[in-house]
Amino acid sequence: MSWFEGSEPSEMEMRREISLYLSVAHGTKKHVPRTQVLLRNLWIEARLRAVDVWPSLNTLADVTSRGTVNGASLKSAFRHRLLKAQGGRCCYCRRWLVNTAYAKPIEHILPRRHYPQFSIEFWNLAVACSDCNGFKTDDVWGSIPITQHLYPKAQEFTDAFHPRFHRYDDHVRYLRLETNVSSVVLFTGLTRQGRHLCSSLLHRIAAKETLVENNPALAPAMKQIRSFEAKAEGMRLERFEAFCEALDQNVMRLIE
């Protein structure tokens, strides 16, 4: 998965991609300029103060646009652009996210907890399935210093996979076979970054998907949960999130 011409993006390609995103930073064209201003202000705040500005999107509302420019609209534009770039698939496991009941959380590649300065950095955002987003949690991948001020260049990600910079097919091979009653998923790392992705995340995703999809009692229940999760995305449902986390932990105990 890469929408760049080579295995790593050139500066010209990166500038072009940012320009394309900024031109559709809001679903309504007349609100694009004001959205760009808000994005720049948030970006500056995150960089200069090294603070996580992502949670502020939940309450962000621009009074000059009668609330039309808000955190939800910013996230929607992010998700729309990123999903298009990713071909409608999860940035890590390549599961389809278009026209499915799966939630589509925006993933912070360098986690916000450790890299707050990049909490709204365009190149630090991708779209993952809820399983990948949940299992990855706040794990720090690679050796990027947490105090780094400028966002790392593609060539600095030598020991961890970066879904925005690396071509997926160069690093990982996957096989997903499905029948009416069963499913098999396999991932193989081809490079150092790909093997790290497999060992850190994808082997758990494959195990969970195989266990759930091959269990006639569990599969329908998980489908219902995923459907609700997709509809409730963006809501702050702490008990539901705690339930899903506990469920994942128990599924992993069964696997291990």
Side-chain angles (χ1 to χ4, degrees):
M1 178 193 67
S2 174
W3 57 98
F4 299 114
E5 295 174 1
S7 58
E8 295 181 352
S10 67
E11 291 188 11
M12 181 178 296
E13 287 174 322
M14 291 178 71
R15 287 197 297 268
R16 181 177 61 194
E17 175 57 27
I18 291 177
S19 178
L20 286 172
Y21 160 67
L22 288 175
S23 68
V24 292
H26 194 281
T28 303
K29 189 174 182 180
K30 68 178 181 180
H31 294 313
V32 168
R34 183 56 187 163
T35 301
Q36 292 175 351
V37 171
L38 290 179
L39 282 169
R40 178 170 177 78
N41 290 341
L42 288 170
W43 184 85
I44 291 173
E45 182 181 2
R47 282 292 183 87
L48 292 182
R49 297 177 54 201
V51 294
D52 179 7
V53 300
W54 192 258
S56 66
L57 293 181
N58 293 327
T59 57
L60 178 69
D62 177 43
V63 295
T64 64
S65 63
R66 298 182 180 179
T68 306
V69 178
N70 51 38
S73 65
L74 266 66
K75 288 182 180 180
S76 177
F78 271 134
R79 184 179 289 106
H80 180 78
R81 180 61 195 166
L82 295 173
L83 263 181
K84 184 177 181 181
Q86 293 173 201
R89 294 178 181 268
C90 170
C91 65
Y92 294 126
C93 74
R94 305 297 283 146
R95 180 183 289 166
W96 283 108
L97 297 177
V98 177
N99 298 325
T100 70
Y102 293 117
K104 307 171 184 64
I106 295 176
E107 156 71 4
H108 287 77
I109 300 160
L110 295 177
R112 295 184 287 127
R113 178 181 176 185
H114 303 285
Y115 301 89
Q117 67 272 34
F118 303 135
S119 55
I120 202 164
E121 172 69 42
F122 179 65
W123 297 106
N124 198 43
L125 304 176
V127 179
C129 68
S130 57
D131 283 342
C132 285
N133 183 261
F135 279 136
K136 182 172 178 285
T137 62
D138 291 330
D139 291 349
V140 175
W141 287 357
S143 55
I144 304 299
I146 62 175
T147 57
Q148 184 154 326
H149 181 64
L150 297 178
Y151 196 74
K153 296 183 181 297
Q155 55 267 32
E156 294 181 60
F157 291 90
T158 58
D159 46 6
F161 178 77
H162 192 294
R164 297 295 305 280
F165 291 158
H166 294 146
R167 189 188 299 275
Y168 195 91
D169 292 350
D170 291 344
H171 297 273
V172 179
R173 287 283 186 270
Y174 73 94
L175 173 69
R176 181 175 278 112
L177 298 176
E178 295 181 78
T179 70
N180 299 55
V181 294
S182 64
S183 175
V184 176
V185 187
L186 300 171
F187 294 96
T188 303
L190 305 177
T191 63
R192 182 181 181 183
Q193 296 97 324
R195 288 188 290 272
H196 178 272
L197 180 62
C198 289
S199 63
S200 300
L201 176 66
L202 294 182
H203 80 282
R204 287 182 286 175
I205 296 300
K208 179 182 178 181
E209 189 171 339
T210 301
L211 173 66
V212 170
E213 297 303 328
N214 293 328
N215 188 315
L218 188 57
M222 292 299 294
K223 186 175 181 180
Q224 288 288 332
I225 291 173
R226 288 168 180 161
S227 179
F228 175 78
E229 189 176 29
K231 294 174 183 177
E233 190 172 5
M235 300 181 186
R236 283 173 281 184
L237 304 176
E238 295 180 2
R239 291 186 178 181
F240 176 71
E241 291 171 359
F243 166 77
C244 289
E245 183 177 351
L247 180 61
D248 282 339
Q249 291 174 354
N250 280 283
V251 168
M252 290 311 301
R253 288 194 189 100
L254 286 173
I255 294 169
E256 295 169 354

